[in-house]
Amino acid sequence: MTRPVPDMRLEQAMGGVVAGIDEAGRAPLAGPVVAAAVVLPEWAMADPALAGLTDSKLLSAAERERFDARIRAVARIGVAAAGAAAIDRINILNATLLAMSRAVAALRLAVDAALIDGNRAPALPCPTRTVVGGDRKCLSIAAGSVVAKVARDRLMRRLARRYPGYGWESNMGYGTDEHYLGLLRLGATPHHRRSFAPLSTLFAPPGPGLRFVAVAGPPETARLRLVPLRADLCAVCDGDGCHVGVLKATRRQWRFNATGYDAAGAPVPGGGPLAACHGTAVPAAREAPLRRCLDLCLSGAAPAATPVSAA
């Protein structure tokens, strides 16, 4: 796929000192939304070190790091954030706009105009223009997308060391299987967005009531229940509320992935009381089909499917 090549025609059309603004981190369950405002030099299009700069989502981590270093060397940059508390208080859209206005203030430079990725602009002391898909059209917005993404990723890796067990060092706060199971096992941190589903329902009283302990012997399948986490993922627990696995949709096929816990409470993917059923195909994310398939597996009437990666 050919990557889009942003240019500086919009900056030139606006005239004067123009900042390109973009954000990173609107969708994750945890962490701040981070915005960056970037003022590129007029000769940026001719800089060979910026050749290939585009939407950060189209770049590898190594490319983003390389471009971030060069952007910081040649451009004026302002980076700012709005944390989980602000996101919960004023919603993610307004928190994003707040982070953008803070990023412009962090430039410590009077700008004549601002180009903003998307269709909503923050309140700024200069003329603004929104550009839908701007990180693929406008070079300074693309630069903002890279700087914001790199800054946020670094922050999430630092937070991962303070709050282990959620996988933030790799998922950056997005809703991966590891993150969801970490939430169930460890609860929410101050950096979780409690207004986001499923936090808004999972941790409302009385909560999911799950336990994460070693369980001996196969549970009674008639007492298994599902705890929905997202459209393609459910936690599975026994009648005592002990977590024994997940039901996950992979390529339009639901599969049961067993999970156990060791004596220290650490998860053991593919283990636990239903380890023999790890990888079992299930026709639907409902308790009755799950019970039937696991019963067949445990009885030996139907072999488990080829094991898949456990959540």
Side-chain angles (χ1 to χ4, degrees), residues 149-218:
K149 171 65 174 169
V150 170
R152 188 179 187 279
D153 285 357
R154 290 173 179 170
L155 173 60
M156 294 307 298
R157 285 192 288 269
R158 291 197 299 272
L159 288 175
R161 293 192 288 271
R162 292 173 54 192
Y163 299 94
Y166 301 94
W168 290 349
E169 65 278 4
S170 56
N171 64 43
M172 305 305 167
Y174 283 84
T176 63
D177 298 2
E178 181 181 12
H179 193 171
Y180 277 109
L181 293 178
L183 268 170
L184 288 176
R185 187 163 55 95
L186 304 170
T189 72
H191 298 282
H192 276 101
R193 304 173 183 183
R194 294 175 181 267
S195 57
F196 278 34
L199 278 82
S200 56
T201 54
L202 274 182
F203 297 102
L210 295 187
R211 300 167 61 207
F212 301 87
V213 296
V215 177

Short mmCIF file of all heavy atoms in Angstrom, two decimals, residues 149-218:
data_model
loop_
_atom_site.label_atom_id
_atom_site.label_comp_id
_atom_site.label_asym_id
_atom_site.label_seq_id
_atom_site.Cartn_x
_atom_site.Cartn_y
_atom_site.Cartn_z
N LYS A 149 2.17 10.77 19.53
CA LYS A 149 2.19 9.32 19.70
C LYS A 149 3.44 8.86 20.45
O LYS A 149 3.35 8.05 21.38
CB LYS A 149 2.10 8.64 18.34
CG LYS A 149 2.31 7.13 18.33
CD LYS A 149 1.21 6.40 19.08
CE LYS A 149 1.38 4.88 18.91
NZ LYS A 149 0.48 4.14 19.84
N VAL A 150 4.60 9.36 20.05
CA VAL A 150 5.84 8.96 20.71
C VAL A 150 5.83 9.40 22.17
O VAL A 150 6.22 8.64 23.07
CB VAL A 150 7.06 9.53 19.96
CG1 VAL A 150 8.34 9.32 20.76
CG2 VAL A 150 7.19 8.87 18.59
N ALA A 151 5.38 10.63 22.42
CA ALA A 151 5.34 11.13 23.80
C ALA A 151 4.40 10.28 24.65
O ALA A 151 4.73 9.93 25.80
CB ALA A 151 4.91 12.59 23.81
N ARG A 152 3.25 9.93 24.11
CA ARG A 152 2.29 9.15 24.89
C ARG A 152 2.80 7.73 25.14
O ARG A 152 2.65 7.19 26.24
CB ARG A 152 0.93 9.11 24.20
CG ARG A 152 -0.14 8.46 25.07
CD ARG A 152 -1.51 8.42 24.42
NE ARG A 152 -2.46 7.95 25.40
CZ ARG A 152 -2.66 6.67 25.72
NH1 ARG A 152 -1.95 5.74 25.10
NH2 ARG A 152 -3.54 6.32 26.64
N ASP A 153 3.39 7.11 24.12
CA ASP A 153 3.92 5.76 24.29
C ASP A 153 4.99 5.72 25.38
O ASP A 153 5.03 4.79 26.20
CB ASP A 153 4.49 5.23 22.97
CG ASP A 153 3.41 4.83 21.98
OD1 ASP A 153 2.21 4.91 22.33
OD2 ASP A 153 3.76 4.44 20.85
N ARG A 154 5.85 6.71 25.39
CA ARG A 154 6.89 6.76 26.42
C ARG A 154 6.27 6.90 27.81
O ARG A 154 6.72 6.26 28.77
CB ARG A 154 7.85 7.91 26.14
CG ARG A 154 8.73 7.69 24.92
CD ARG A 154 9.54 8.93 24.59
NE ARG A 154 10.40 8.70 23.43
CZ ARG A 154 11.06 9.67 22.80
NH1 ARG A 154 10.97 10.93 23.23
NH2 ARG A 154 11.82 9.39 21.75
N LEU A 155 5.24 7.73 27.91
CA LEU A 155 4.56 7.90 29.18
C LEU A 155 3.90 6.60 29.64
O LEU A 155 4.00 6.21 30.82
CB LEU A 155 3.50 9.01 29.06
CG LEU A 155 2.58 9.19 30.27
CD1 LEU A 155 3.38 9.55 31.51
CD2 LEU A 155 1.52 10.24 29.98
N MET A 156 3.25 5.88 28.73
CA MET A 156 2.58 4.64 29.10
C MET A 156 3.60 3.57 29.52
O MET A 156 3.32 2.78 30.42
CB MET A 156 1.71 4.13 27.96
CG MET A 156 0.52 5.02 27.63
SD MET A 156 -0.53 5.41 29.06
CE MET A 156 -1.10 3.79 29.56
N ARG A 157 4.76 3.57 28.91
CA ARG A 157 5.79 2.61 29.34
C ARG A 157 6.29 2.93 30.74
O ARG A 157 6.58 2.03 31.54
CB ARG A 157 6.94 2.58 28.33
CG ARG A 157 6.59 1.83 27.04
CD ARG A 157 7.81 1.56 26.20
NE ARG A 157 8.33 2.77 25.57
CZ ARG A 157 7.99 3.21 24.37
NH1 ARG A 157 7.11 2.54 23.64
NH2 ARG A 157 8.52 4.31 23.87
N ARG A 158 6.38 4.22 31.07
CA ARG A 158 6.76 4.59 32.44
C ARG A 158 5.67 4.18 33.43
O ARG A 158 5.96 3.65 34.51
CB ARG A 158 7.02 6.10 32.53
CG ARG A 158 8.27 6.56 31.80
CD ARG A 158 8.71 7.95 32.25
NE ARG A 158 7.71 8.98 32.00
CZ ARG A 158 7.61 9.66 30.86
NH1 ARG A 158 8.47 9.42 29.87
NH2 ARG A 158 6.69 10.59 30.70
N LEU A 159 4.42 4.42 33.06
CA LEU A 159 3.31 4.03 33.94
C LEU A 159 3.23 2.52 34.11
O LEU A 159 2.83 2.03 35.17
CB LEU A 159 1.99 4.57 33.39
CG LEU A 159 1.76 6.08 33.50
CD1 LEU A 159 0.46 6.47 32.80
CD2 LEU A 159 1.73 6.51 34.96
N ALA A 160 3.62 1.77 33.07
CA ALA A 160 3.59 0.31 33.15
C ALA A 160 4.52 -0.20 34.24
O ALA A 160 4.25 -1.24 34.88
CB ALA A 160 3.97 -0.30 31.81
N ARG A 161 5.62 0.50 34.48
CA ARG A 161 6.53 0.07 35.55
C ARG A 161 5.93 0.32 36.93
O ARG A 161 6.20 -0.41 37.88
CB ARG A 161 7.88 0.79 35.39
CG ARG A 161 8.64 0.38 34.14
CD ARG A 161 10.07 0.87 34.18
NE ARG A 161 10.18 2.32 33.99
CZ ARG A 161 10.29 2.93 32.82
NH1 ARG A 161 10.29 2.21 31.70
NH2 ARG A 161 10.40 4.23 32.75
N ARG A 162 5.09 1.34 37.03
CA ARG A 162 4.43 1.64 38.30
C ARG A 162 3.20 0.77 38.52
O ARG A 162 2.83 0.48 39.66
CB ARG A 162 4.04 3.11 38.34
CG ARG A 162 5.20 4.08 38.42
CD ARG A 162 4.74 5.52 38.27
NE ARG A 162 3.70 5.86 39.24
CZ ARG A 162 2.97 6.98 39.17
NH1 ARG A 162 3.17 7.83 38.17
NH2 ARG A 162 2.06 7.23 40.08
N TYR A 163 2.55 0.37 37.43
CA TYR A 163 1.32 -0.40 37.51
C TYR A 163 1.44 -1.65 36.64
O TYR A 163 0.85 -1.75 35.56
CB TYR A 163 0.12 0.43 37.06
CG TYR A 163 -0.12 1.67 37.88
CD1 TYR A 163 0.42 2.90 37.50
CD2 TYR A 163 -0.88 1.62 39.05
CE1 TYR A 163 0.20 4.04 38.25
CE2 TYR A 163 -1.10 2.76 39.81
CZ TYR A 163 -0.56 3.96 39.40
OH TYR A 163 -0.78 5.10 40.16
N PRO A 164 2.23 -2.64 37.07
CA PRO A 164 2.39 -3.86 36.26
C PRO A 164 1.11 -4.70 36.26
O PRO A 164 0.27 -4.58 37.15
CB PRO A 164 3.53 -4.60 36.98
CG PRO A 164 3.45 -4.12 38.39
CD PRO A 164 3.01 -2.69 38.32
N GLY A 165 0.99 -5.53 35.24
CA GLY A 165 -0.12 -6.46 35.18
C GLY A 165 -1.19 -6.11 34.16
O GLY A 165 -2.09 -6.91 33.90
N TYR A 166 -1.08 -4.92 33.57
CA TYR A 166 -2.07 -4.49 32.58
C TYR A 166 -1.53 -4.53 31.15
O TYR A 166 -2.28 -4.35 30.19
CB TYR A 166 -2.55 -3.06 32.88
CG TYR A 166 -3.18 -2.89 34.24
CD1 TYR A 166 -2.42 -2.46 35.33
CD2 TYR A 166 -4.53 -3.18 34.46
CE1 TYR A 166 -2.98 -2.31 36.59
CE2 TYR A 166 -5.10 -3.03 35.71
CZ TYR A 166 -4.33 -2.60 36.77
OH TYR A 166 -4.89 -2.46 38.01
N GLY A 167 -0.22 -4.72 31.01
CA GLY A 167 0.38 -4.77 29.68
C GLY A 167 0.54 -3.43 29.01
O GLY A 167 0.68 -3.37 27.79
N TRP A 168 0.58 -2.35 29.80
CA TRP A 168 0.66 -1.03 29.18
C TRP A 168 1.95 -0.82 28.40
O TRP A 168 2.00 0.03 27.50
CB TRP A 168 0.55 0.06 30.26
CG TRP A 168 -0.82 0.15 30.87
CD1 TRP A 168 -1.96 -0.46 30.42
CD2 TRP A 168 -1.18 0.90 32.04
NE1 TRP A 168 -3.01 -0.13 31.24
CE2 TRP A 168 -2.56 0.70 32.24
CE3 TRP A 168 -0.47 1.69 32.91
CZ2 TRP A 168 -3.25 1.29 33.30
CZ3 TRP A 168 -1.15 2.28 33.98
CH2 TRP A 168 -2.52 2.09 34.17
N GLU A 169 3.00 -1.57 28.74
CA GLU A 169 4.27 -1.40 28.03
C GLU A 169 4.13 -1.79 26.56
O GLU A 169 4.93 -1.36 25.72
CB GLU A 169 5.37 -2.21 28.69
CG GLU A 169 5.18 -3.72 28.64
CD GLU A 169 4.25 -4.26 29.72
OE1 GLU A 169 3.68 -3.45 30.49
OE2 GLU A 169 4.10 -5.49 29.79
N SER A 170 3.12 -2.58 26.23
CA SER A 170 2.92 -2.98 24.83
C SER A 170 1.57 -2.54 24.28
O SER A 170 1.47 -2.19 23.10
CB SER A 170 3.06 -4.51 24.68
OG SER A 170 2.16 -5.18 25.54
N ASN A 171 0.51 -2.53 25.10
CA ASN A 171 -0.81 -2.14 24.57
C ASN A 171 -1.10 -0.66 24.72
O ASN A 171 -2.10 -0.17 24.19
CB ASN A 171 -1.93 -2.98 25.21
CG ASN A 171 -2.07 -2.77 26.71
OD1 ASN A 171 -2.02 -1.66 27.22
ND2 ASN A 171 -2.25 -3.88 27.44
N MET A 172 -0.26 0.07 25.43
CA MET A 172 -0.36 1.53 25.59
C MET A 172 -1.72 1.97 26.16
O MET A 172 -2.16 3.09 25.91
CB MET A 172 -0.10 2.25 24.26
CG MET A 172 1.21 1.87 23.62
SD MET A 172 2.61 2.13 24.74
CE MET A 172 3.92 1.26 23.88
N GLY A 173 -2.35 1.07 26.90
CA GLY A 173 -3.62 1.42 27.52
C GLY A 173 -4.83 1.03 26.73
O GLY A 173 -5.97 1.22 27.19
N TYR A 174 -4.63 0.47 25.52
CA TYR A 174 -5.77 0.03 24.72
C TYR A 174 -6.34 -1.27 25.30
O TYR A 174 -5.70 -1.95 26.10
CB TYR A 174 -5.35 -0.17 23.26
CG TYR A 174 -5.20 1.13 22.50
CD1 TYR A 174 -4.01 1.86 22.57
CD2 TYR A 174 -6.25 1.65 21.74
CE1 TYR A 174 -3.88 3.07 21.89
CE2 TYR A 174 -6.12 2.85 21.06
CZ TYR A 174 -4.93 3.56 21.14
OH TYR A 174 -4.81 4.76 20.49
N GLY A 175 -7.55 -1.60 24.88
CA GLY A 175 -8.28 -2.71 25.48
C GLY A 175 -7.91 -4.07 24.94
O GLY A 175 -8.75 -4.74 24.34
N THR A 176 -6.70 -4.51 25.16
CA THR A 176 -6.28 -5.85 24.77
C THR A 176 -6.79 -6.87 25.79
O THR A 176 -7.24 -6.52 26.88
CB THR A 176 -4.76 -5.95 24.68
OG1 THR A 176 -4.22 -5.71 26.00
CG2 THR A 176 -4.19 -4.92 23.71
N ASP A 177 -6.67 -8.16 25.44
CA ASP A 177 -7.07 -9.21 26.37
C ASP A 177 -6.32 -9.07 27.69
O ASP A 177 -6.91 -9.18 28.77
CB ASP A 177 -6.80 -10.59 25.77
CG ASP A 177 -7.57 -10.85 24.49
OD1 ASP A 177 -8.30 -9.94 24.03
OD2 ASP A 177 -7.45 -11.96 23.95
N GLU A 178 -5.01 -8.87 27.61
CA GLU A 178 -4.19 -8.76 28.82
C GLU A 178 -4.67 -7.60 29.70
O GLU A 178 -4.74 -7.72 30.93
CB GLU A 178 -2.72 -8.56 28.45
CG GLU A 178 -1.80 -8.47 29.66
CD GLU A 178 -0.35 -8.26 29.28
OE1 GLU A 178 -0.07 -7.96 28.09
OE2 GLU A 178 0.52 -8.40 30.16
N HIS A 179 -5.03 -6.49 29.06
CA HIS A 179 -5.48 -5.33 29.82
C HIS A 179 -6.81 -5.62 30.51
O HIS A 179 -7.00 -5.31 31.70
CB HIS A 179 -5.62 -4.13 28.88
CG HIS A 179 -5.77 -2.83 29.59
ND1 HIS A 179 -5.72 -1.61 28.95
CD2 HIS A 179 -5.98 -2.53 30.91
CE1 HIS A 179 -5.88 -0.64 29.83
NE2 HIS A 179 -6.04 -1.17 31.02
N TYR A 180 -7.74 -6.22 29.78
CA TYR A 180 -9.04 -6.53 30.38
C TYR A 180 -8.90 -7.49 31.56
O TYR A 180 -9.53 -7.30 32.62
CB TYR A 180 -9.98 -7.13 29.34
CG TYR A 180 -10.68 -6.10 28.48
CD1 TYR A 180 -10.34 -5.94 27.15
CD2 TYR A 180 -11.68 -5.29 29.01
CE1 TYR A 180 -10.98 -4.99 26.36
CE2 TYR A 180 -12.32 -4.35 28.24
CZ TYR A 180 -11.98 -4.20 26.91
OH TYR A 180 -12.61 -3.26 26.14
N LEU A 181 -8.09 -8.53 31.39
CA LEU A 181 -7.93 -9.48 32.47
C LEU A 181 -7.17 -8.86 33.64
O LEU A 181 -7.43 -9.19 34.80
CB LEU A 181 -7.21 -10.73 31.96
CG LEU A 181 -8.02 -11.55 30.94
CD1 LEU A 181 -7.21 -12.74 30.45
CD2 LEU A 181 -9.34 -12.01 31.54
N GLY A 182 -6.24 -7.96 33.35
CA GLY A 182 -5.58 -7.23 34.42
C GLY A 182 -6.56 -6.38 35.20
O GLY A 182 -6.49 -6.28 36.44
N LEU A 183 -7.50 -5.76 34.50
CA LEU A 183 -8.53 -4.97 35.17
C LEU A 183 -9.37 -5.84 36.10
O LEU A 183 -9.67 -5.45 37.23
CB LEU A 183 -9.44 -4.32 34.12
CG LEU A 183 -9.08 -2.92 33.64
CD1 LEU A 183 -9.93 -2.55 32.45
CD2 LEU A 183 -9.28 -1.92 34.77
N LEU A 184 -9.76 -7.01 35.60
CA LEU A 184 -10.57 -7.90 36.43
C LEU A 184 -9.80 -8.37 37.66
O LEU A 184 -10.33 -8.45 38.76
CB LEU A 184 -11.01 -9.11 35.61
CG LEU A 184 -12.08 -8.87 34.54
CD1 LEU A 184 -12.33 -10.13 33.75
CD2 LEU A 184 -13.39 -8.38 35.18
N ARG A 185 -8.52 -8.66 37.46
CA ARG A 185 -7.71 -9.24 38.53
C ARG A 185 -7.24 -8.20 39.53
O ARG A 185 -7.22 -8.44 40.74
CB ARG A 185 -6.51 -9.96 37.91
CG ARG A 185 -5.67 -10.76 38.88
CD ARG A 185 -4.78 -11.76 38.15
NE ARG A 185 -3.95 -11.12 37.15
CZ ARG A 185 -2.69 -10.72 37.37
NH1 ARG A 185 -2.15 -10.89 38.55
NH2 ARG A 185 -1.99 -10.17 36.40
N LEU A 186 -6.85 -7.02 39.02
CA LEU A 186 -6.20 -6.02 39.86
C LEU A 186 -7.07 -4.82 40.18
O LEU A 186 -6.75 -4.04 41.07
CB LEU A 186 -4.91 -5.54 39.18
CG LEU A 186 -3.89 -6.63 38.83
CD1 LEU A 186 -2.79 -6.06 37.95
CD2 LEU A 186 -3.33 -7.26 40.08
N GLY A 187 -8.14 -4.64 39.42
CA GLY A 187 -8.98 -3.46 39.59
C GLY A 187 -8.46 -2.29 38.78
O GLY A 187 -7.46 -2.37 38.07
N ALA A 188 -9.13 -1.17 38.90
CA ALA A 188 -8.78 0.02 38.14
C ALA A 188 -7.75 0.86 38.89
O ALA A 188 -7.71 0.88 40.12
CB ALA A 188 -10.02 0.86 37.87
N THR A 189 -6.89 1.54 38.14
CA THR A 189 -5.89 2.45 38.70
C THR A 189 -6.39 3.89 38.58
O THR A 189 -7.41 4.15 37.93
CB THR A 189 -4.57 2.33 37.92
OG1 THR A 189 -4.75 2.94 36.63
CG2 THR A 189 -4.15 0.87 37.75
N PRO A 190 -5.68 4.85 39.16
CA PRO A 190 -6.07 6.25 38.97
C PRO A 190 -5.97 6.71 37.52
O PRO A 190 -6.52 7.77 37.18
CB PRO A 190 -5.07 7.01 39.85
CG PRO A 190 -4.62 6.02 40.86
CD PRO A 190 -4.61 4.71 40.16
N HIS A 191 -5.28 5.94 36.68
CA HIS A 191 -5.11 6.33 35.29
C HIS A 191 -6.14 5.67 34.36
O HIS A 191 -6.08 5.87 33.15
CB HIS A 191 -3.69 5.99 34.83
CG HIS A 191 -2.64 6.72 35.60
ND1 HIS A 191 -2.33 8.04 35.35
CD2 HIS A 191 -1.86 6.33 36.65
CE1 HIS A 191 -1.38 8.43 36.20
NE2 HIS A 191 -1.09 7.41 36.99
N HIS A 192 -7.06 4.91 34.91
CA HIS A 192 -8.11 4.32 34.10
C HIS A 192 -9.27 5.30 33.92
O HIS A 192 -9.61 6.06 34.83
CB HIS A 192 -8.63 3.02 34.73
CG HIS A 192 -7.79 1.84 34.40
ND1 HIS A 192 -6.86 1.31 35.28
CD2 HIS A 192 -7.73 1.07 33.27
CE1 HIS A 192 -6.26 0.27 34.70
NE2 HIS A 192 -6.77 0.12 33.49
N ARG A 193 -9.86 5.25 32.73
CA ARG A 193 -10.97 6.12 32.39
C ARG A 193 -12.27 5.41 32.81
O ARG A 193 -12.81 4.59 32.09
CB ARG A 193 -10.97 6.41 30.89
CG ARG A 193 -9.65 7.01 30.42
CD ARG A 193 -9.58 7.14 28.91
NE ARG A 193 -8.28 7.64 28.47
CZ ARG A 193 -7.98 7.91 27.20
NH1 ARG A 193 -8.88 7.69 26.24
NH2 ARG A 193 -6.77 8.35 26.89
N ARG A 194 -12.75 5.76 33.97
CA ARG A 194 -13.89 5.05 34.54
C ARG A 194 -15.20 5.34 33.82
O ARG A 194 -16.18 4.61 34.00
CB ARG A 194 -14.01 5.38 36.03
CG ARG A 194 -12.84 4.84 36.84
CD ARG A 194 -12.89 5.28 38.29
NE ARG A 194 -11.74 4.76 39.03
CZ ARG A 194 -11.73 3.63 39.71
NH1 ARG A 194 -12.83 2.88 39.75
NH2 ARG A 194 -10.66 3.22 40.35
N SER A 195 -15.22 6.37 33.00
CA SER A 195 -16.42 6.66 32.22
C SER A 195 -16.49 5.82 30.95
O SER A 195 -17.52 5.82 30.26
CB SER A 195 -16.47 8.15 31.84
OG SER A 195 -15.30 8.52 31.12
N PHE A 196 -15.41 5.10 30.62
CA PHE A 196 -15.37 4.27 29.42
C PHE A 196 -15.91 2.88 29.74
O PHE A 196 -15.63 2.31 30.79
CB PHE A 196 -13.93 4.13 28.90
CG PHE A 196 -13.45 5.29 28.06
CD1 PHE A 196 -13.86 6.58 28.31
CD2 PHE A 196 -12.56 5.08 27.02
CE1 PHE A 196 -13.41 7.64 27.55
CE2 PHE A 196 -12.11 6.13 26.24
CZ PHE A 196 -12.53 7.42 26.51
N ALA A 197 -16.68 2.33 28.80
CA ALA A 197 -17.06 0.92 28.93
C ALA A 197 -15.82 0.07 28.67
O ALA A 197 -15.00 0.43 27.82
CB ALA A 197 -18.16 0.59 27.92
N PRO A 198 -15.65 -1.06 29.37
CA PRO A 198 -16.58 -1.62 30.36
C PRO A 198 -16.33 -1.16 31.79
O PRO A 198 -16.99 -1.64 32.70
CB PRO A 198 -16.31 -3.11 30.24
CG PRO A 198 -14.84 -3.18 30.00
CD PRO A 198 -14.53 -1.98 29.13
N LEU A 199 -15.38 -0.23 32.02
CA LEU A 199 -15.12 0.18 33.39
C LEU A 199 -16.37 0.77 34.04
O LEU A 199 -16.62 0.56 35.22
CB LEU A 199 -13.99 1.21 33.45
CG LEU A 199 -12.57 0.66 33.40
CD1 LEU A 199 -12.15 0.36 31.97
CD2 LEU A 199 -11.59 1.63 34.03
N SER A 200 -17.17 1.49 33.25
CA SER A 200 -18.34 2.17 33.79
C SER A 200 -19.38 1.18 34.31
O SER A 200 -20.19 1.53 35.16
CB SER A 200 -18.97 3.06 32.72
OG SER A 200 -19.28 2.32 31.56
N THR A 201 -19.34 -0.07 33.81
CA THR A 201 -20.29 -1.08 34.29
C THR A 201 -19.62 -2.17 35.12
O THR A 201 -20.17 -2.62 36.11
CB THR A 201 -21.01 -1.73 33.09
OG1 THR A 201 -20.03 -2.23 32.16
CG2 THR A 201 -21.89 -0.72 32.38
N LEU A 202 -18.40 -2.57 34.73
CA LEU A 202 -17.72 -3.64 35.45
C LEU A 202 -17.49 -3.30 36.91
O LEU A 202 -17.61 -4.16 37.79
CB LEU A 202 -16.37 -3.94 34.80
CG LEU A 202 -16.32 -4.92 33.64
CD1 LEU A 202 -14.90 -5.11 33.18
CD2 LEU A 202 -16.93 -6.26 34.01
N PHE A 203 -17.16 -2.05 37.18
CA PHE A 203 -16.79 -1.69 38.54
C PHE A 203 -17.87 -0.91 39.27
O PHE A 203 -17.64 -0.37 40.34
CB PHE A 203 -15.46 -0.93 38.52
CG PHE A 203 -14.35 -1.79 38.00
CD1 PHE A 203 -13.88 -1.64 36.72
CD2 PHE A 203 -13.81 -2.79 38.78
CE1 PHE A 203 -12.88 -2.46 36.22
CE2 PHE A 203 -12.81 -3.61 38.30
CZ PHE A 203 -12.34 -3.45 37.02
N ALA A 204 -19.06 -0.87 38.66
CA ALA A 204 -20.20 -0.34 39.39
C ALA A 204 -20.65 -1.41 40.40
O ALA A 204 -20.53 -2.60 40.14
CB ALA A 204 -21.34 -0.02 38.43
N PRO A 205 -21.14 -1.00 41.58
CA PRO A 205 -21.58 -1.99 42.57
C PRO A 205 -22.61 -2.95 41.98
O PRO A 205 -23.47 -2.51 41.23
CB PRO A 205 -22.20 -1.12 43.67
CG PRO A 205 -21.54 0.22 43.50
CD PRO A 205 -21.33 0.37 42.02
N PRO A 206 -22.51 -4.26 42.23
CA PRO A 206 -21.56 -4.91 43.15
C PRO A 206 -20.27 -5.33 42.47
O PRO A 206 -19.46 -6.01 43.10
CB PRO A 206 -22.36 -6.14 43.59
CG PRO A 206 -23.15 -6.51 42.39
CD PRO A 206 -23.53 -5.21 41.73
N GLY A 207 -20.07 -4.99 41.18
CA GLY A 207 -18.87 -5.40 40.47
C GLY A 207 -19.00 -6.81 39.95
O GLY A 207 -20.00 -7.50 40.19
N PRO A 208 -17.98 -7.30 39.21
CA PRO A 208 -18.08 -8.62 38.60
C PRO A 208 -17.96 -9.76 39.59
O PRO A 208 -18.38 -10.88 39.32
CB PRO A 208 -16.93 -8.65 37.60
CG PRO A 208 -15.93 -7.69 38.18
CD PRO A 208 -16.74 -6.61 38.84
N GLY A 209 -17.38 -9.51 40.76
CA GLY A 209 -17.28 -10.54 41.78
C GLY A 209 -16.40 -11.71 41.41
O GLY A 209 -16.65 -12.84 41.84
N LEU A 210 -15.37 -11.48 40.62
CA LEU A 210 -14.48 -12.58 40.21
C LEU A 210 -13.33 -12.76 41.19
O LEU A 210 -12.88 -11.81 41.83
CB LEU A 210 -13.92 -12.31 38.82
CG LEU A 210 -14.91 -12.29 37.66
CD1 LEU A 210 -14.18 -12.18 36.35
CD2 LEU A 210 -15.78 -13.53 37.67
N ARG A 211 -12.87 -14.01 41.28
CA ARG A 211 -11.72 -14.35 42.10
C ARG A 211 -10.65 -14.93 41.19
O ARG A 211 -10.96 -15.61 40.20
CB ARG A 211 -12.11 -15.35 43.18
CG ARG A 211 -13.18 -14.85 44.13
CD ARG A 211 -13.74 -16.00 44.97
NE ARG A 211 -12.68 -16.63 45.77
CZ ARG A 211 -12.70 -17.89 46.17
NH1 ARG A 211 -13.70 -18.70 45.81
NH2 ARG A 211 -11.71 -18.38 46.90
N PHE A 212 -9.38 -14.69 41.53
CA PHE A 212 -8.26 -15.11 40.69
C PHE A 212 -7.32 -15.94 41.54
O PHE A 212 -6.30 -15.47 42.04
CB PHE A 212 -7.59 -13.89 40.07
CG PHE A 212 -8.54 -13.07 39.24
CD1 PHE A 212 -9.32 -12.09 39.82
CD2 PHE A 212 -8.70 -13.34 37.90
CE1 PHE A 212 -10.22 -11.37 39.07
CE2 PHE A 212 -9.61 -12.63 37.14
CZ PHE A 212 -10.37 -11.64 37.72
N VAL A 213 -7.68 -17.20 41.69
CA VAL A 213 -6.96 -18.11 42.56
C VAL A 213 -6.83 -19.46 41.86
O VAL A 213 -7.55 -19.76 40.90
CB VAL A 213 -7.70 -18.30 43.91
CG1 VAL A 213 -7.75 -17.00 44.68
CG2 VAL A 213 -9.11 -18.84 43.68
N ALA A 214 -5.90 -20.27 42.34
CA ALA A 214 -5.74 -21.62 41.80
C ALA A 214 -6.96 -22.45 42.15
O ALA A 214 -7.45 -22.41 43.29
CB ALA A 214 -4.48 -22.26 42.36
N VAL A 215 -7.48 -23.19 41.17
CA VAL A 215 -8.65 -24.05 41.36
C VAL A 215 -8.25 -25.48 41.03
O VAL A 215 -7.65 -25.73 39.98
CB VAL A 215 -9.82 -23.60 40.47
CG1 VAL A 215 -11.01 -24.54 40.63
CG2 VAL A 215 -10.23 -22.17 40.82
N ALA A 216 -8.59 -26.41 41.91
CA ALA A 216 -8.25 -27.82 41.68
C ALA A 216 -9.46 -28.56 41.12
O ALA A 216 -10.57 -28.40 41.61
CB ALA A 216 -7.82 -28.47 42.99
N GLY A 217 -9.22 -29.35 40.07
CA GLY A 217 -10.27 -30.19 39.51
C GLY A 217 -11.20 -29.41 38.60
O GLY A 217 -11.45 -28.22 38.82
N PRO A 218 -11.73 -30.06 37.57
CA PRO A 218 -12.65 -29.40 36.65
C PRO A 218 -13.90 -28.90 37.36
O PRO A 218 -14.46 -29.60 38.20
CB PRO A 218 -13.00 -30.50 35.63
CG PRO A 218 -11.90 -31.50 35.75
CD PRO A 218 -11.47 -31.46 37.18
#
